[in-house]
């Protein structure tokens, strides 16, 4: 957060954040909400079994953290919904483009965030997809225990 404040001094930040359930959610949120230029927080949940639900993260913000200057906090649900909501709100609040959208948190939200932002990235080959579990949104899911035949 310090680096963002140095890089974009005085520019308001709109944060899209999602975390894994097993992380120090309170500590992460404290760092984010303590930053002086954070104006809004869009909480999201990755499409991954280890992801913390957005509503659970929102409850922690409301219970444990002083939102400081954060004007808006919302549990958006999916990463795509959160990214789109942040971009739309940024355009509405400051048509001149003064507000910066930052996506942060678990590595599990980044692929979906990049997709929501329109990045067209290479996909794995059919062989790799088959091994990883083509039908699953996240390849990590294929390593969960499956019933033996």
């Amino acid at each position: 957060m310090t680096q963002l404040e140095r890089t974009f001094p005085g520019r308001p930040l709109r944060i899209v954040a999602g975390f894994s359930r097993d992380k120090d959610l309170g500590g992460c949120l404290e760092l984010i909400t303590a930053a002086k230029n954070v104006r809004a927080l869009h909480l999201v949940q990755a499409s991954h079994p280890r992801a913390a639900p957005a509503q659970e993260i929102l409850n922690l913000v409301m219970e444990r953290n002083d939102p400081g200057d954060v004007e808006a906090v919302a549990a958006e649900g999916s990463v795509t919904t959160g990214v789109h909501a942040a971009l739309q709100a940024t355009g509405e609040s400051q048509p001149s483009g003064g507000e910066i959208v930052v996506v942060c948190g678990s590595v599990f939200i980044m692929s979906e965030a990049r997709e929501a932002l329109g990045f067209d990235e290479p996909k794995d080959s059919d062989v790799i997809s088959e091994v990883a579990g083509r039908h699953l949104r996240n390849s990590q899911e294929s390593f969960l225990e499956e019933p033996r035949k």
Side-chain angles (χ1 to χ4, degrees):
M1 297 306 298
T2 302
Q3 186 60 43
L4 283 169
E5 290 174 4
R6 282 188 201 138
T7 304
F8 304 105
R11 302 271 303 269
L13 302 176
R14 184 169 290 273
I15 306 291
V16 178
F19 308 99
S20 292
R21 183 183 311 248
D22 60 346
K23 301 302 177 204
D24 178 10
L25 301 179
C28 293
L29 292 168
E30 188 174 315
L31 288 171
I32 293 170
T33 58
K36 62 183 172 189
N37 53 345
V38 173
R39 294 293 176 257
L41 184 56
H42 299 263
L43 303 168
V44 298
Q45 179 178 351
S47 300
H48 191 274
R50 287 182 43 207
Q55 187 61 48
E56 182 180 313
I57 302 169
L58 175 62
N59 292 344
L60 276 173
V61 171
M62 304 314 272
E63 292 170 11
R64 298 180 55 182
N65 295 298
D66 174 10
D69 292 334
V70 178
E71 297 168 4
V73 180
E76 302 289 357
S78 78
V79 176
T80 300
T81 301
V83 167
H84 289 164
L87 291 172
Q88 181 177 8
T90 298
E92 291 172 358
S93 68
Q94 297 190 355
S96 64
E99 205 168 61
I100 306 293
V101 174
V102 177
V103 179
C104 63
S106 168
V107 69
F108 298 121
I109 72 169
M110 297 307 163
S111 176
E112 192 174 344
R114 290 177 62 81
E115 188 176 302
L117 290 167
F119 286 89
D120 185 22
E121 298 182 308
K123 305 291 184 211
D124 290 335
S125 71
D126 288 341
V127 173
I128 292 174
S129 294
E130 185 65 34
V131 171
R134 177 189 328 239
H135 63 288
L136 303 171
R137 176 128 177 98
N138 293 305
S139 61
Q140 292 86 350
E141 294 174 18
S142 68
F143 297 106
L144 298 175
E145 284 191 36
E146 296 180 15
R148 296 178 188 231
K149 296 179 182 178

